[in-house]
Amino acid sequence: SAFTRDAEELAGQYAEAGHLDKARAILESALAVNPNSASLQKKLESVKEGQMAANDVEFDLNPARGWERSGVVVTENRPLRIRAEGTYKFDTGPLSLTAAGFPQNDPSLDFVPGILGGTLMGMIMGESKVGRPFPIGESLDFTPKESGMLMLRINSPASNKNTGKLRVTISGQVQTQQSQQSQQPAEESQ
């Protein structure tokens, strides 16, 4: 239909100009009217992938540390992609056990419940609240339910002496902490 063609053309112009949010909104609206349009669906998937591939931020995660700031601020209802590469050694350190088992302070209590031990996990730290940890693993595409700083760590006891390095790439609709600070009015930064 003419409506579908016009919507595709306008969305294409927005996408070419770098306004992927506007292109996506137009395509989603057009799909609500014409949900069976294969060309609209294909173009929308292309715009979504463009959004997810934008703004690559790389972060080297030390698997021996606890929660680390990624330097990335995520925004509620804005999709992002997290990818991790590299290897590390999961090492409980000089802990030696006797037949009595673990010492009174059970290291397993330091694991986040519901997330496999050794898994890369994230958490969003908002201005007034800390979110719940969520598993990332090697790859995760998701849309956060809150805004804030993306924190990362390996799900392991604090006493672990893990070695190695993971390179984490965060992309999509994200901002670096520095770019967010530079967008604040001058009187707030004084």
Side-chain angles (χ1 to χ4, degrees), residues 146-168:
E146 64 255 344
S147 297
M149 171 63 64
L150 177 63
M151 307 291 288
L152 300 170
R153 77 170 278 186
I154 296 296
N155 191 14
S156 65
S159 62
N160 267 31
K161 306 295 183 217
N162 300 331
T163 56
K165 180 173 74 172
L166 295 177
R167 165 70 47 109
V168 181

Side-chain angles (χ1 to χ4, degrees), residues 3 28-36:
F3 171 75
E28 287 173 341
S29 296
L31 267 171
V33 173
N34 188 358
N36 297 323

Side-chain angles (χ1 to χ4, degrees), residues 13-91:
Q13 290 171 356
Y14 274 128
E16 286 176 21
H19 301 288
L20 297 177
D21 282 348
K22 291 179 181 178
R24 181 176 179 164
I26 288 169
L27 292 168
E28 287 173 341
S29 296
L31 267 171
V33 173
N34 188 358
N36 297 323
S37 171
S39 64
L40 284 174
Q41 290 171 350
K42 185 177 178 183
K43 192 162 236 140
L44 178 59
E45 287 307 311
S46 174
V47 167
K48 285 180 176 179
E49 186 55 36
Q51 287 179 312
M52 292 302 264
N55 303 319
D56 273 8
V57 177
E58 291 189 345
F59 175 77
D60 287 333
L61 179 75
N62 180 339
R65 292 193 184 134
W67 289 107
E68 290 189 74
R69 292 176 168 267
S70 66
V72 169
V73 177
V74 302
T75 304
E76 177 182 6
N77 298 323
R78 300 291 193 151
L80 64 132
R81 173 175 289 154
I82 304 170
R83 300 279 185 262
E85 296 178 338
T87 59
Y88 74 97
K89 183 178 178 191
F90 191 88
D91 186 354

